[in-house]
Structures are given as C-alpha cells and as structure tokens.
Amino acid sequence: TTLPLPKEGRAALIWQALNSMKKRGRMALLLPTNALNPTDRFELGHHLVESNLLETVITLPANGLARQATKALLLLVRGSRVQTDVAFISPDMNGRSGDKLYDADAILLALQAFREDRAHPALLVLPPSVIASHQYHFDVADYATPVTRMAS
C-alpha cells in the first residue's frame, strides 16, 4: 500500500523508504527516540503495527551510537509477517545500565528467542492491542514492568 508522504522532514524520508519496500521485503530503520514529532510517531506506529509490518523494536542506549545523546530505536520491519506480536528488546531489561554501550549479544539472543518463541530477560513481546493502547510508543519504558509475554 502506498502511503501519503509528508512534505518535509524526517517523517518524509521514513515514509519514502517504507513505500519502496517490496511486499515480502525487510527493512531496518534507525531513529533517535526524539526524531519524530508525536503526530508523525503515532502515524508511523499505527501504520507499522496495524499493517503487521513491525517485527521488532530494539532500544539502544544514549551514547551507544556515534555519541548520540539520546536513546536510539532500531525498528525491524518485515513484509508478509504471519505472527502479529511485536518484540521489544532492550539490554536495559537484562540488568545493564542505560548509560553503557549496548550489549549486541543480548540483543541477538533476544531476537533469536523471539523468533523461536522462547523467553529472554531482554525481551518483551506485546500484542498489537497493547501497543495501540499506549498510542504506538516504541520505547519499552512506556510499557508495564517487563514480562516474557503479555496476553492479547
């Protein structure tokens, strides 16, 4: 589905990238947590979740990438998904401090656990209804105390 493009700004680049993705394609979007205004964030989240394109949200700590002063989000987007739940992965949930460099091993292990339907301390799995009830926020801190898997 072709998305309406905003006229300018970061949101326009994101929508253009999503419009160019093939139906069964994959994409990774790296965004600072403050990259989008609330309206653009809501519209992006709504589209990705309700279209079942968002597979995983990985929270990277501040100063984790190129001295980025704020946390960053890595959104893994996948066309033609069967599973509707979304994985939220944050090394902070694995007992790491938010001001340290991210733990790549914990992220990869949590992503593998999600794809194999297993638990991992850095993994929070949420159904679309919970994400919608939180206004499509991507920061894992916006959700309840981390648990392995939340029911729909």
Side-chain angles (χ1 to χ4, degrees):
T1 314
T2 301
L3 305 168
L5 293 175
K7 292 184 176 157
E8 58 188 33
R10 293 176 180 159
L13 294 173
I14 294 167
W15 291 122
Q16 186 174 11
L18 289 170
N19 279 333
S20 69
M21 189 174 88
K22 294 181 180 179
K23 185 175 181 173
R24 298 182 63 84
R26 295 178 184 202
M27 179 180 299
L29 299 168
L30 180 62
L31 305 168
T33 53
N34 61 357
L36 300 174
N37 66 47
T39 300
D40 288 339
R41 184 189 66 231
F42 177 87
E43 289 176 359
L44 175 65
H46 180 268
H47 174 73
L48 291 176
V49 172
E50 299 305 325
S51 299
N52 196 28
L53 293 172
L54 185 61
E55 177 189 40
T56 307
V57 177
I58 300 171
T59 303
L60 303 173
N63 299 320
L65 293 172
R67 309 269 185 233
Q68 178 72 29
T70 61
K71 288 192 279 185
L73 299 172
L74 181 60
L75 308 179
L76 302 183
V77 179
R78 192 174 188 172
S80 300
R81 289 186 66 219
V82 175
Q83 183 176 9
T84 59
D85 290 347
V86 177
F88 284 76
I89 297 173
S90 175
D92 291 346
M93 294 189 305
N94 201 22
R96 294 186 56 90
S97 171
D99 61 355
K100 294 181 181 176
L101 292 178
Y102 62 91
D103 184 345
D105 289 336
I107 291 170
L108 292 173
L109 290 171
L111 184 57
Q112 182 178 4
F114 171 66
R115 291 179 175 164
E116 295 174 357
D117 201 24
R118 293 184 294 111
H120 188 279
L123 175 64
L124 175 64
V125 179
L126 298 172
S129 60
V130 172
I131 300 167
S133 71
H134 284 82
Q135 305 299 308
Y136 301 99
H137 283 205
F138 293 138
D139 191 346
V140 72
D142 294 329
Y143 296 94
T145 304
V147 293
T148 307
R149 193 169 283 274
M150 292 182 69
S152 300

